[in-house]
Amino acid sequence: MEEHKTPWKTVGSREVYVNPWIRIREDHVIRPDDKPGIYGVVEFQNYALGIVPVADNGDTWLVGQWRYPLDLYSWEIPEGGGPLSIPLIDSAKRELHEEVGLAAAEWIDLGLFHLSNSVTNEAGRVFLALGLTEGDAEPEGDEVLQIWRLPLTEAYAMAMDGRITDGVSIIGLTRAVEYLQTHPGPSGHPSHQAGKGW
């Protein structure tokens, strides 16, 4: 693969705003056309995490909540932020327990993603969680959540037809389905049955 070098030159930077979750900076730059300009960047203080839990019978879980910036109700996979200083898998396990009350015996890393990469450095990962044990959810104080257990096939259809608009959820569901289709696992292993019949 061809190696690429940045066509941008940063000549200065200033912090515009910071809180425990985000930092906004404005860079003074020389653009690719050699003209001076500015570039605003939103830096995230946490890693974005998404988890697709899949039961032995092929069900998954979605979480419904009101998203303040968009002023709309959103159905999503269990997701949240993980501190940069903590192993991502530990934060993913915490999020799955807090939001839907599940613990998983098997965790599969479905890879890296970037969101809104023209204005933010936010990075995240999605995981497939199998071998589930159900318990009680423990949402945080700023979360009013509705939990919906449904077939993974239906959740995937919602991601494809626009009923789910959250980017992390769309990435997670499509990667989970692809993984289950291409990694059937040992013959008869119940945690991989969800990948059959697509």
PDB file of all heavy atoms in Angstrom, residues 140-172:
ATOM      1  N   GLU A 140     -26.350   4.659  34.530  1.00  0.00           N
ATOM      2  CA  GLU A 140     -25.845   5.823  35.232  1.00  0.00           C
ATOM      3  C   GLU A 140     -26.972   6.827  35.464  1.00  0.00           C
ATOM      4  O   GLU A 140     -28.049   6.742  34.857  1.00  0.00           O
ATOM      5  CB  GLU A 140     -24.699   6.457  34.445  1.00  0.00           C
ATOM      6  CG  GLU A 140     -23.483   5.534  34.314  1.00  0.00           C
ATOM      7  CD  GLU A 140     -22.337   6.196  33.582  1.00  0.00           C
ATOM      8  OE1 GLU A 140     -22.488   7.367  33.154  1.00  0.00           O
ATOM      9  OE2 GLU A 140     -21.277   5.551  33.421  1.00  0.00           O
ATOM     10  N   GLY A 141     -26.713   7.800  36.328  1.00  0.00           N
ATOM     11  CA  GLY A 141     -27.753   8.738  36.730  1.00  0.00           C
ATOM     12  C   GLY A 141     -28.302   9.607  35.618  1.00  0.00           C
ATOM     13  O   GLY A 141     -29.433  10.094  35.714  1.00  0.00           O
ATOM     14  N   ASP A 142     -27.532   9.824  34.537  1.00  0.00           N
ATOM     15  CA  ASP A 142     -28.006  10.666  33.439  1.00  0.00           C
ATOM     16  C   ASP A 142     -28.606   9.840  32.312  1.00  0.00           C
ATOM     17  O   ASP A 142     -28.870  10.358  31.224  1.00  0.00           O
ATOM     18  CB  ASP A 142     -26.874  11.551  32.904  1.00  0.00           C
ATOM     19  CG  ASP A 142     -25.710  10.727  32.344  1.00  0.00           C
ATOM     20  OD1 ASP A 142     -25.688   9.496  32.554  1.00  0.00           O
ATOM     21  OD2 ASP A 142     -24.838  11.334  31.699  1.00  0.00           O
ATOM     22  N   GLU A 143     -28.850   8.547  32.572  1.00  0.00           N
ATOM     23  CA  GLU A 143     -29.387   7.673  31.540  1.00  0.00           C
ATOM     24  C   GLU A 143     -30.788   7.186  31.923  1.00  0.00           C
ATOM     25  O   GLU A 143     -30.988   6.652  33.010  1.00  0.00           O
ATOM     26  CB  GLU A 143     -28.482   6.456  31.334  1.00  0.00           C
ATOM     27  CG  GLU A 143     -27.106   6.788  30.794  1.00  0.00           C
ATOM     28  CD  GLU A 143     -26.214   5.571  30.678  1.00  0.00           C
ATOM     29  OE1 GLU A 143     -26.253   4.710  31.578  1.00  0.00           O
ATOM     30  OE2 GLU A 143     -25.464   5.483  29.687  1.00  0.00           O
ATOM     31  N   VAL A 144     -31.739   7.382  31.018  1.00  0.00           N
ATOM     32  CA  VAL A 144     -33.079   6.803  31.135  1.00  0.00           C
ATOM     33  C   VAL A 144     -33.207   5.842  29.963  1.00  0.00           C
ATOM     34  O   VAL A 144     -33.446   6.250  28.826  1.00  0.00           O
ATOM     35  CB  VAL A 144     -34.170   7.887  31.097  1.00  0.00           C
ATOM     36  CG1 VAL A 144     -35.552   7.236  31.224  1.00  0.00           C
ATOM     37  CG2 VAL A 144     -33.951   8.914  32.201  1.00  0.00           C
ATOM     38  N   LEU A 145     -33.036   4.555  30.237  1.00  0.00           N
ATOM     39  CA  LEU A 145     -32.885   3.575  29.178  1.00  0.00           C
ATOM     40  C   LEU A 145     -34.067   2.633  29.085  1.00  0.00           C
ATOM     41  O   LEU A 145     -34.651   2.249  30.088  1.00  0.00           O
ATOM     42  CB  LEU A 145     -31.611   2.743  29.414  1.00  0.00           C
ATOM     43  CG  LEU A 145     -30.298   3.507  29.620  1.00  0.00           C
ATOM     44  CD1 LEU A 145     -29.159   2.527  29.845  1.00  0.00           C
ATOM     45  CD2 LEU A 145     -30.013   4.421  28.444  1.00  0.00           C
ATOM     46  N   GLN A 146     -34.384   2.248  27.858  1.00  0.00           N
ATOM     47  CA  GLN A 146     -35.342   1.184  27.588  1.00  0.00           C
ATOM     48  C   GLN A 146     -34.578   0.051  26.922  1.00  0.00           C
ATOM     49  O   GLN A 146     -33.802   0.281  25.991  1.00  0.00           O
ATOM     50  CB  GLN A 146     -36.467   1.684  26.681  1.00  0.00           C
ATOM     51  CG  GLN A 146     -37.553   0.654  26.419  1.00  0.00           C
ATOM     52  CD  GLN A 146     -38.678   1.222  25.566  1.00  0.00           C
ATOM     53  OE1 GLN A 146     -38.712   2.409  25.258  1.00  0.00           O
ATOM     54  NE2 GLN A 146     -39.598   0.354  25.171  1.00  0.00           N
ATOM     55  N   ILE A 147     -34.761  -1.168  27.402  1.00  0.00           N
ATOM     56  CA  ILE A 147     -34.035  -2.321  26.880  1.00  0.00           C
ATOM     57  C   ILE A 147     -34.974  -3.154  26.013  1.00  0.00           C
ATOM     58  O   ILE A 147     -36.107  -3.441  26.402  1.00  0.00           O
ATOM     59  CB  ILE A 147     -33.462  -3.172  28.025  1.00  0.00           C
ATOM     60  CG1 ILE A 147     -32.510  -2.326  28.885  1.00  0.00           C
ATOM     61  CG2 ILE A 147     -32.734  -4.399  27.482  1.00  0.00           C
ATOM     62  CD1 ILE A 147     -32.076  -3.018  30.159  1.00  0.00           C
ATOM     63  N   TRP A 148     -34.496  -3.556  24.834  1.00  0.00           N
ATOM     64  CA  TRP A 148     -35.301  -4.310  23.884  1.00  0.00           C
ATOM     65  C   TRP A 148     -34.504  -5.536  23.428  1.00  0.00           C
ATOM     66  O   TRP A 148     -33.452  -5.390  22.823  1.00  0.00           O
ATOM     67  CB  TRP A 148     -35.652  -3.425  22.694  1.00  0.00           C
ATOM     68  CG  TRP A 148     -36.494  -4.059  21.627  1.00  0.00           C
ATOM     69  CD1 TRP A 148     -37.165  -5.237  21.673  1.00  0.00           C
ATOM     70  CD2 TRP A 148     -36.749  -3.501  20.330  1.00  0.00           C
ATOM     71  NE1 TRP A 148     -37.829  -5.468  20.502  1.00  0.00           N
ATOM     72  CE2 TRP A 148     -37.599  -4.408  19.656  1.00  0.00           C
ATOM     73  CE3 TRP A 148     -36.364  -2.331  19.688  1.00  0.00           C
ATOM     74  CZ2 TRP A 148     -38.048  -4.187  18.356  1.00  0.00           C
ATOM     75  CZ3 TRP A 148     -36.802  -2.106  18.398  1.00  0.00           C
ATOM     76  CH2 TRP A 148     -37.640  -3.017  17.736  1.00  0.00           C
ATOM     77  N   ARG A 149     -35.008  -6.720  23.758  1.00  0.00           N
ATOM     78  CA  ARG A 149     -34.420  -7.960  23.256  1.00  0.00           C
ATOM     79  C   ARG A 149     -35.161  -8.356  21.989  1.00  0.00           C
ATOM     80  O   ARG A 149     -36.391  -8.442  21.975  1.00  0.00           O
ATOM     81  CB  ARG A 149     -34.514  -9.070  24.305  1.00  0.00           C
ATOM     82  CG  ARG A 149     -33.913 -10.386  23.825  1.00  0.00           C
ATOM     83  CD  ARG A 149     -33.828 -11.422  24.926  1.00  0.00           C
ATOM     84  NE  ARG A 149     -33.304 -12.679  24.401  1.00  0.00           N
ATOM     85  CZ  ARG A 149     -32.883 -13.694  25.162  1.00  0.00           C
ATOM     86  NH1 ARG A 149     -32.931 -13.595  26.497  1.00  0.00           N
ATOM     87  NH2 ARG A 149     -32.410 -14.801  24.607  1.00  0.00           N
ATOM     88  N   LEU A 150     -34.418  -8.617  20.926  1.00  0.00           N
ATOM     89  CA  LEU A 150     -35.010  -8.915  19.628  1.00  0.00           C
ATOM     90  C   LEU A 150     -34.045  -9.757  18.813  1.00  0.00           C
ATOM     91  O   LEU A 150     -32.852  -9.840  19.138  1.00  0.00           O
ATOM     92  CB  LEU A 150     -35.353  -7.619  18.875  1.00  0.00           C
ATOM     93  CG  LEU A 150     -34.197  -6.783  18.306  1.00  0.00           C
ATOM     94  CD1 LEU A 150     -34.736  -5.744  17.336  1.00  0.00           C
ATOM     95  CD2 LEU A 150     -33.356  -6.120  19.359  1.00  0.00           C
ATOM     96  N   PRO A 151     -34.504 -10.393  17.735  1.00  0.00           N
ATOM     97  CA  PRO A 151     -33.586 -11.179  16.906  1.00  0.00           C
ATOM     98  C   PRO A 151     -32.503 -10.290  16.289  1.00  0.00           C
ATOM     99  O   PRO A 151     -32.786  -9.159  15.865  1.00  0.00           O
ATOM    100  CB  PRO A 151     -34.500 -11.772  15.829  1.00  0.00           C
ATOM    101  CG  PRO A 151     -35.861 -11.786  16.451  1.00  0.00           C
ATOM    102  CD  PRO A 151     -35.914 -10.557  17.312  1.00  0.00           C
ATOM    103  N   LEU A 152     -31.283 -10.798  16.227  1.00  0.00           N
ATOM    104  CA  LEU A 152     -30.202 -10.055  15.577  1.00  0.00           C
ATOM    105  C   LEU A 152     -30.568  -9.711  14.141  1.00  0.00           C
ATOM    106  O   LEU A 152     -30.215  -8.632  13.642  1.00  0.00           O
ATOM    107  CB  LEU A 152     -28.912 -10.882  15.609  1.00  0.00           C
ATOM    108  CG  LEU A 152     -27.685 -10.272  14.929  1.00  0.00           C
ATOM    109  CD1 LEU A 152     -27.296  -8.949  15.569  1.00  0.00           C
ATOM    110  CD2 LEU A 152     -26.516 -11.253  14.950  1.00  0.00           C
ATOM    111  N   THR A 153     -31.295 -10.596  13.464  1.00  0.00           N
ATOM    112  CA  THR A 153     -31.707 -10.327  12.081  1.00  0.00           C
ATOM    113  C   THR A 153     -32.553  -9.062  12.001  1.00  0.00           C
ATOM    114  O   THR A 153     -32.431  -8.284  11.056  1.00  0.00           O
ATOM    115  CB  THR A 153     -32.490 -11.514  11.509  1.00  0.00           C
ATOM    116  OG1 THR A 153     -33.551 -11.864  12.421  1.00  0.00           O
ATOM    117  CG2 THR A 153     -31.591 -12.714  11.288  1.00  0.00           C
ATOM    118  N   GLU A 154     -33.426  -8.842  12.980  1.00  0.00           N
ATOM    119  CA  GLU A 154     -34.270  -7.644  12.968  1.00  0.00           C
ATOM    120  C   GLU A 154     -33.457  -6.392  13.269  1.00  0.00           C
ATOM    121  O   GLU A 154     -33.646  -5.348  12.637  1.00  0.00           O
ATOM    122  CB  GLU A 154     -35.415  -7.789  13.973  1.00  0.00           C
ATOM    123  CG  GLU A 154     -36.377  -6.616  13.940  1.00  0.00           C
ATOM    124  CD  GLU A 154     -37.582  -6.801  14.842  1.00  0.00           C
ATOM    125  OE1 GLU A 154     -37.795  -7.938  15.318  1.00  0.00           O
ATOM    126  OE2 GLU A 154     -38.305  -5.821  15.065  1.00  0.00           O
ATOM    127  N   ALA A 155     -32.538  -6.477  14.242  1.00  0.00           N
ATOM    128  CA  ALA A 155     -31.690  -5.328  14.551  1.00  0.00           C
ATOM    129  C   ALA A 155     -30.835  -4.946  13.340  1.00  0.00           C
ATOM    130  O   ALA A 155     -30.661  -3.756  13.029  1.00  0.00           O
ATOM    131  CB  ALA A 155     -30.807  -5.635  15.753  1.00  0.00           C
ATOM    132  N   TYR A 156     -30.320  -5.957  12.654  1.00  0.00           N
ATOM    133  CA  TYR A 156     -29.535  -5.713  11.438  1.00  0.00           C
ATOM    134  C   TYR A 156     -30.395  -5.028  10.376  1.00  0.00           C
ATOM    135  O   TYR A 156     -29.952  -4.078   9.717  1.00  0.00           O
ATOM    136  CB  TYR A 156     -28.981  -7.030  10.913  1.00  0.00           C
ATOM    137  CG  TYR A 156     -28.231  -6.923   9.611  1.00  0.00           C
ATOM    138  CD1 TYR A 156     -26.922  -6.463   9.579  1.00  0.00           C
ATOM    139  CD2 TYR A 156     -28.826  -7.294   8.409  1.00  0.00           C
ATOM    140  CE1 TYR A 156     -26.229  -6.359   8.377  1.00  0.00           C
ATOM    141  CE2 TYR A 156     -28.148  -7.205   7.208  1.00  0.00           C
ATOM    142  CZ  TYR A 156     -26.848  -6.734   7.190  1.00  0.00           C
ATOM    143  OH  TYR A 156     -26.174  -6.640   6.001  1.00  0.00           O
ATOM    144  N   ALA A 157     -31.626  -5.486  10.208  1.00  0.00           N
ATOM    145  CA  ALA A 157     -32.525  -4.859   9.236  1.00  0.00           C
ATOM    146  C   ALA A 157     -32.785  -3.399   9.593  1.00  0.00           C
ATOM    147  O   ALA A 157     -32.861  -2.533   8.714  1.00  0.00           O
ATOM    148  CB  ALA A 157     -33.840  -5.640   9.165  1.00  0.00           C
ATOM    149  N   MET A 158     -32.913  -3.097  10.886  1.00  0.00           N
ATOM    150  CA  MET A 158     -33.122  -1.717  11.318  1.00  0.00           C
ATOM    151  C   MET A 158     -31.917  -0.843  10.982  1.00  0.00           C
ATOM    152  O   MET A 158     -32.068   0.337  10.614  1.00  0.00           O
ATOM    153  CB  MET A 158     -33.372  -1.683  12.828  1.00  0.00           C
ATOM    154  CG  MET A 158     -34.690  -2.302  13.253  1.00  0.00           C
ATOM    155  SD  MET A 158     -34.836  -2.441  15.062  1.00  0.00           S
ATOM    156  CE  MET A 158     -34.901  -0.699  15.540  1.00  0.00           C
ATOM    157  N   ALA A 159     -30.717  -1.403  11.089  1.00  0.00           N
ATOM    158  CA  ALA A 159     -29.516  -0.652  10.730  1.00  0.00           C
ATOM    159  C   ALA A 159     -29.448  -0.402   9.235  1.00  0.00           C
ATOM    160  O   ALA A 159     -28.967   0.639   8.784  1.00  0.00           O
ATOM    161  CB  ALA A 159     -28.270  -1.400  11.198  1.00  0.00           C
ATOM    162  N   MET A 160     -29.942  -1.355   8.448  1.00  0.00           N
ATOM    163  CA  MET A 160     -29.870  -1.234   7.002  1.00  0.00           C
ATOM    164  C   MET A 160     -30.949  -0.329   6.420  1.00  0.00           C
ATOM    165  O   MET A 160     -30.727   0.325   5.402  1.00  0.00           O
ATOM    166  CB  MET A 160     -29.968  -2.636   6.355  1.00  0.00           C
ATOM    167  CG  MET A 160     -28.787  -3.539   6.636  1.00  0.00           C
ATOM    168  SD  MET A 160     -27.209  -2.919   5.991  1.00  0.00           S
ATOM    169  CE  MET A 160     -26.501  -2.192   7.485  1.00  0.00           C
ATOM    170  N   ASP A 161     -32.132  -0.273   7.060  1.00  0.00           N
ATOM    171  CA  ASP A 161     -33.227   0.511   6.461  1.00  0.00           C
ATOM    172  C   ASP A 161     -33.397   1.898   7.084  1.00  0.00           C
ATOM    173  O   ASP A 161     -34.317   2.627   6.734  1.00  0.00           O
ATOM    174  CB  ASP A 161     -34.543  -0.269   6.498  1.00  0.00           C
ATOM    175  CG  ASP A 161     -35.084  -0.516   7.914  1.00  0.00           C
ATOM    176  OD1 ASP A 161     -34.702   0.204   8.856  1.00  0.00           O
ATOM    177  OD2 ASP A 161     -35.908  -1.443   8.065  1.00  0.00           O
ATOM    178  N   GLY A 162     -32.511   2.264   8.023  1.00  0.00           N
ATOM    179  CA  GLY A 162     -32.532   3.618   8.549  1.00  0.00           C
ATOM    180  C   GLY A 162     -33.289   3.811   9.840  1.00  0.00           C
ATOM    181  O   GLY A 162     -33.313   4.923  10.374  1.00  0.00           O
ATOM    182  N   ARG A 163     -33.881   2.751  10.382  1.00  0.00           N
ATOM    183  CA  ARG A 163     -34.536   2.902  11.681  1.00  0.00           C
ATOM    184  C   ARG A 163     -33.505   3.091  12.794  1.00  0.00           C
ATOM    185  O   ARG A 163     -33.789   3.737  13.798  1.00  0.00           O
ATOM    186  CB  ARG A 163     -35.433   1.700  11.970  1.00  0.00           C
ATOM    187  CG  ARG A 163     -36.748   1.698  11.191  1.00  0.00           C
ATOM    188  CD  ARG A 163     -37.535   0.430  11.465  1.00  0.00           C
ATOM    189  NE  ARG A 163     -36.903  -0.718  10.801  1.00  0.00           N
ATOM    190  CZ  ARG A 163     -37.185  -1.991  11.089  1.00  0.00           C
ATOM    191  NH1 ARG A 163     -38.045  -2.279  12.057  1.00  0.00           N
ATOM    192  NH2 ARG A 163     -36.594  -2.985  10.428  1.00  0.00           N
ATOM    193  N   ILE A 164     -32.333   2.529  12.617  1.00  0.00           N
ATOM    194  CA  ILE A 164     -31.200   2.821  13.484  1.00  0.00           C
ATOM    195  C   ILE A 164     -30.285   3.763  12.723  1.00  0.00           C
ATOM    196  O   ILE A 164     -29.842   3.447  11.605  1.00  0.00           O
ATOM    197  CB  ILE A 164     -30.437   1.539  13.883  1.00  0.00           C
ATOM    198  CG1 ILE A 164     -31.293   0.673  14.812  1.00  0.00           C
ATOM    199  CG2 ILE A 164     -29.105   1.879  14.548  1.00  0.00           C
ATOM    200  CD1 ILE A 164     -30.659  -0.651  15.184  1.00  0.00           C
ATOM    201  N   THR A 165     -29.998   4.926  13.302  1.00  0.00           N
ATOM    202  CA  THR A 165     -29.154   5.916  12.637  1.00  0.00           C
ATOM    203  C   THR A 165     -27.817   6.126  13.346  1.00  0.00           C
ATOM    204  O   THR A 165     -26.939   6.803  12.808  1.00  0.00           O
ATOM    205  CB  THR A 165     -29.879   7.271  12.547  1.00  0.00           C
ATOM    206  OG1 THR A 165     -30.180   7.737  13.881  1.00  0.00           O
ATOM    207  CG2 THR A 165     -31.174   7.151  11.752  1.00  0.00           C
ATOM    208  N   ASP A 166     -27.650   5.581  14.533  1.00  0.00           N
ATOM    209  CA  ASP A 166     -26.422   5.735  15.294  1.00  0.00           C
ATOM    210  C   ASP A 166     -25.273   5.015  14.597  1.00  0.00           C
ATOM    211  O   ASP A 166     -25.362   3.819  14.303  1.00  0.00           O
ATOM    212  CB  ASP A 166     -26.632   5.169  16.705  1.00  0.00           C
ATOM    213  CG  ASP A 166     -25.350   5.098  17.496  1.00  0.00           C
ATOM    214  OD1 ASP A 166     -24.788   6.162  17.800  1.00  0.00           O
ATOM    215  OD2 ASP A 166     -24.915   3.974  17.808  1.00  0.00           O
ATOM    216  N   GLY A 167     -24.172   5.739  14.350  1.00  0.00           N
ATOM    217  CA  GLY A 167     -23.065   5.180  13.593  1.00  0.00           C
ATOM    218  C   GLY A 167     -22.398   3.992  14.260  1.00  0.00           C
ATOM    219  O   GLY A 167     -22.049   3.005  13.598  1.00  0.00           O
ATOM    220  N   VAL A 168     -22.183   4.060  15.571  1.00  0.00           N
ATOM    221  CA  VAL A 168     -21.544   2.956  16.283  1.00  0.00           C
ATOM    222  C   VAL A 168     -22.391   1.691  16.157  1.00  0.00           C
ATOM    223  O   VAL A 168     -21.871   0.584  15.965  1.00  0.00           O
ATOM    224  CB  VAL A 168     -21.312   3.315  17.764  1.00  0.00           C
ATOM    225  CG1 VAL A 168     -20.703   2.145  18.517  1.00  0.00           C
ATOM    226  CG2 VAL A 168     -20.419   4.549  17.890  1.00  0.00           C
ATOM    227  N   SER A 169     -23.711   1.853  16.250  1.00  0.00           N
ATOM    228  CA  SER A 169     -24.606   0.696  16.153  1.00  0.00           C
ATOM    229  C   SER A 169     -24.587   0.084  14.755  1.00  0.00           C
ATOM    230  O   SER A 169     -24.569  -1.150  14.609  1.00  0.00           O
ATOM    231  CB  SER A 169     -26.035   1.117  16.516  1.00  0.00           C
ATOM    232  OG  SER A 169     -26.094   1.583  17.839  1.00  0.00           O
ATOM    233  N   ILE A 170     -24.595   0.919  13.739  1.00  0.00           N
ATOM    234  CA  ILE A 170     -24.568   0.407  12.369  1.00  0.00           C
ATOM    235  C   ILE A 170     -23.270  -0.347  12.118  1.00  0.00           C
ATOM    236  O   ILE A 170     -23.267  -1.446  11.547  1.00  0.00           O
ATOM    237  CB  ILE A 170     -24.757   1.558  11.364  1.00  0.00           C
ATOM    238  CG1 ILE A 170     -26.153   2.162  11.519  1.00  0.00           C
ATOM    239  CG2 ILE A 170     -24.539   1.067   9.928  1.00  0.00           C
ATOM    240  CD1 ILE A 170     -26.351   3.467  10.769  1.00  0.00           C
ATOM    241  N   ILE A 171     -22.151   0.232  12.552  1.00  0.00           N
ATOM    242  CA  ILE A 171     -20.862  -0.445  12.400  1.00  0.00           C
ATOM    243  C   ILE A 171     -20.864  -1.765  13.165  1.00  0.00           C
ATOM    244  O   ILE A 171     -20.464  -2.812  12.640  1.00  0.00           O
ATOM    245  CB  ILE A 171     -19.720   0.467  12.888  1.00  0.00           C
ATOM    246  CG1 ILE A 171     -19.590   1.689  11.977  1.00  0.00           C
ATOM    247  CG2 ILE A 171     -18.398  -0.303  12.948  1.00  0.00           C
ATOM    248  CD1 ILE A 171     -18.722   2.794  12.552  1.00  0.00           C
ATOM    249  N   GLY A 172     -21.301  -1.731  14.426  1.00  0.00           N
ATOM    250  CA  GLY A 172     -21.276  -2.926  15.250  1.00  0.00           C
ATOM    251  C   GLY A 172     -22.140  -4.041  14.704  1.00  0.00           C
ATOM    252  O   GLY A 172     -21.714  -5.207  14.636  1.00  0.00           O
TER     253      GLY A 172
END
